[in-house]
Amino acid sequence: MASSYRNPENMDSAAAKARKKADQVAEGQKAMQEYELSLRAMREKTERLRALRLAHEAAEGQRVSEEKPAKKKATKKAKAKAPASAD
């Protein structure tokens, strides 16, 4: 009986499996790098947009505080509660 361990077909098959496994590992590493890069880009974009929004809100708040507050109109209740002048 011939040993299947030293069979050239099995050796080729083992080499092919090892090559396939190495390719899968390399593909996984590449995918992880791409994922991390896209995650980093998204965080940087979010940080930039947040800074722009906060600056806009600060400028808007400053503009509103510089404007004169509008005069409040008297309501019907306020007019009714106002004391009558003594003539």
Side-chain angles (χ1 to χ4, degrees), residues 18-81:
R19 222 180 354 260
K20 183 177 179 181
K21 183 69 174 176
D23 289 345
Q24 288 175 338
V25 168
E27 177 89 15
Q29 289 174 341
K30 182 180 176 184
M32 193 63 173
Q33 286 175 345
E34 289 175 1
Y35 170 76
E36 289 172 349
L37 284 174
S38 68
L39 189 61
R40 181 178 174 190
M42 184 172 53
R43 285 184 181 146
E44 289 173 355
K45 178 181 175 183
T46 302
E47 186 178 312
R48 180 181 58 85
L49 291 173
R50 181 180 292 126
L52 287 171
R53 177 180 51 83
L54 292 174
H56 177 71
E57 287 175 356
E60 185 70 21
Q62 198 173 40
R63 186 185 63 81
V64 169
S65 66
E66 289 174 356
E67 292 178 357
K68 277 188 180 178
K71 243 186 179 178
K72 292 185 179 181
K73 292 184 178 180
T75 61
K76 289 182 181 181
K77 284 184 179 180
K79 287 180 183 179
K81 289 184 180 180

